[in-house]
Structure formats: C-alpha cells, structure tokens
Amino acid sequence: MICQQDNMEVTLFCIRLLINTWLLLVIQIWDSCDAQTTFPHVVPNTSQHYEYSTVSFDCKGFDGSLGWKLMRKAADVDTACGTSWGVFSGSICIFRNVYIEDSGQYWCESGDGKKSSPVNITITPGPVILESPLIPVMEGNTVSLRCKNRTDFTKTSTSITFYKNGIFIKSISTSTLIIRNINKSHEGLYKCNISGAGESPESWLAVRSRDNTDNDMVTLLCYDQLPVLLYFLLRTVGTILWVTLLLVVLRKRQPWNDHNI
C-alpha cells in the first residue's frame, strides 16, 4: 500500500509539473504577443522620408523593464540604434542624414527578446513623398494622405494625382486626399504624383476593424504561434498519458513483487 501511495504521489507530481511547464510556455508566448500590439513612435509621423533628413524613434509605452533597444532590418541585416547608425538622446534614437539604404523595418526590442510590431520606413531621394499613417488606422476614422513636394513650399500644383494599387483614384488641386469613414476596402498601396515634380514611392495603408478588441488583435498577431502551442500541448498530454500508463503497470506488478519478497 505504501508503494502504491508513493506511485500515486509521483504521478500527481509529474502531471502538475508538466501542466505548469505548459502554462509557463503559454504565458511567455502571450507576453511576447502582447508586446507586438505596440509600435515605435516616429517623428515625423509618416512612413516616407526625404534622403538626408532626420528621423527620431521612441519606444514609449513599450515594456522595457529589462531595458530596450531600437532595432532595424535593412538590406536583410538586423542592427541596433547606436551601432552603425543613429545616436541616443535620453530615451530617443535620433537618426540624422538618412539614406536610401536606411529604408526598412524598425521595431523596439526588450532585454529579454520581446519585440514590438515593426513600422516600415521608406527613404527617397526624389522631391515627392506621400505622408500617410505609419500604423493601422481604426475603421470609421478619417485619414489624410498628403502629397508633399520638397522643392516647392509656396506654390500649389494645379494637378496632384493619387493612386491605389497602381490604379488611378482622383486628381485634385490641393495636396491632401481625405478619406472619411475609412473601412477595410480602403486598404492598399497608395502613391501620388505631382505634375512637373514627380511621383512618390508607394506606402501601405492598413485598416483595423472596429469589431476587433485589443484581445482579438493580440490573437490575430499571435496566430503564427498556435502551431507551437498545439505541439507542446500534445507533447504534454502524451507525456502525462505515458507516465500514467507506466505507473499503472508498475502498480499492477507491485503485489507480485511484494509476495515474492
């Protein structure tokens, strides 16, 4: 009976240990996903910037209790602010004299490896840029897309044309295209053309559904983690069943062993 009681205690201990291990894994992945709902703050707050201009980044609101750094991926290489580019002024990364090669993804990263959602930055040598939102905009809001000419600060072009996914939208005489009551159908790649000046690069305009709560957003962002969770869940359940079956077999053999002792 003592042996059977010991086996039962070992079984319960193993099951608790495996369940706690899986829960810790879920919490770790959830924390990582929660970090992905934040974005770096960028000034100027637009995705397109002129070559040789200054861009600053701040990770305000990002959980950096273990310290954080601003990272970027340019030309398929990950580097941190303060290494070969940018300097820190307090908690802000200031990047002066940006070049075309500095175009890429920028994100915040904590000391334990948690990452924010990235923002896409495009650096252009041309005179025309499209100032558009960096992060997804809420469905139902009003969005302004401004076509800007670097070499003309006083005059207004007589013809500014906007395109979505390469298809003509409209021509206007002002520099700003206003989209009211925005919805998912407005998502796409936008660019503009100023007559006599040139064309801007394309920028992606993302729209977030108002039906999605913050938790829904986290779930969507972390959808790619589901296979990992399912894999470890199946391994945990399988291990529990295997340990339980093994101990049941040992318990059945125990009386025979006791009798022969």
Side-chain angles (χ1 to χ4, degrees):
M1 293 295 296
I2 295 177
C3 292
Q4 291 181 359
Q5 184 177 358
D6 290 343
N7 287 336
M8 181 62 69
E9 290 177 354
V10 170
T11 303
L12 293 175
F13 173 77
C14 291
I15 292 174
R16 290 196 191 101
L17 180 61
L18 290 169
I19 292 176
N20 288 338
T21 300
W22 188 77
L23 288 176
L24 287 173
L25 175 67
V26 172
I27 292 172
Q28 183 178 3
I29 292 178
W30 184 264
D31 286 344
S32 175
C33 293
D34 186 53
Q36 295 175 17
T37 62
T38 60
F39 295 83
H41 296 267
V42 183
V43 178
N45 187 24
T46 180
S47 58
Q48 296 182 17
H49 301 266
Y50 290 118
E51 194 172 30
Y52 309 120
S53 63
T54 297
V55 185
S56 63
F57 301 85
D58 189 0
C59 291
K60 181 180 179 181
F62 178 70
D63 181 14
S65 55
L66 298 178
W68 61 266
K69 54 188 175 181
L70 183 79
M71 298 292 297
R72 80 168 186 189
K73 179 185 286 291
D76 293 326
V77 178
D78 293 356
T79 52
C81 176
T83 53
S84 59
W85 60 276
V87 293
F88 272 102
S89 177
S91 62
I92 299 175
C93 173
I94 300 177
F95 195 3
R96 297 183 176 90
N97 296 321
V98 293
Y99 296 96
I100 303 174
E101 294 78 11
D102 296 314
S103 299
Q105 288 188 334
Y106 290 75
W107 69 91
C108 302
E109 187 170 323
S110 66
D112 57 352
K114 295 177 185 176
K115 298 179 181 180
S116 71
S117 292
V119 291
N120 291 299
I121 299 296
T122 301
I123 312 298
T124 176
V128 179
I129 63 172
L130 177 66
E131 293 183 340
S132 61
L134 264 171
I135 65 176
V137 295
M138 181 67 72
E139 192 175 34
N141 287 354
T142 297
V143 174
S144 297
L145 303 178
R146 183 189 176 201
C147 197
K148 185 177 179 181
N149 185 356
R150 185 178 196 174
T151 59
D152 186 355
F153 298 99
T154 58
K155 299 178 181 178
T156 301
S157 174
T158 56
S159 179
I160 300 180
T161 308
F162 289 85
Y163 299 86
K164 175 191 173 187
N165 298 329
I167 301 174
F168 169 81
I169 301 176
K170 66 164 56 176
S171 290
I172 56 179
S173 58
T174 59
S175 62
T176 303
L177 174 68
I178 298 176
I179 306 175
R180 292 183 173 84
N181 195 25
I182 197 167
N183 56 61
K184 293 292 285 184
S185 67
H186 291 110
E187 250 185 4
L189 286 169
Y190 287 80
K191 66 179 179 179
C192 65
N193 184 288
I194 297 179
S195 177
E199 189 172 85
S200 75
E202 289 184 315
S203 284
W204 178 261
L205 176 63
V207 180
R208 177 185 167 193
S209 174
R210 192 173 288 276
D211 294 335
N212 288 343
T213 62
D214 289 339
N215 288 335
D216 292 333
M217 187 175 183
V218 171
T219 302
L220 290 172
L221 289 171
C222 298
Y223 184 77
D224 60 340
Q225 299 287 355
L226 287 178
V228 178
L229 290 174
L230 290 175
Y231 169 74
F232 281 100
L233 175 61
L234 291 175
R235 283 197 60 176
T236 301
V237 173
T239 304
I240 291 175
L241 292 176
W242 182 84
V243 171
T244 303
L245 179 62
L246 178 63
L247 292 176
V248 167
V249 172
L250 291 176
R251 286 173 58 187
K252 287 184 177 180
R253 294 182 58 186
Q254 191 64 47
W256 182 85
N257 291 332
D258 291 342
H259 178 75
N260 282 275
I261 292 175

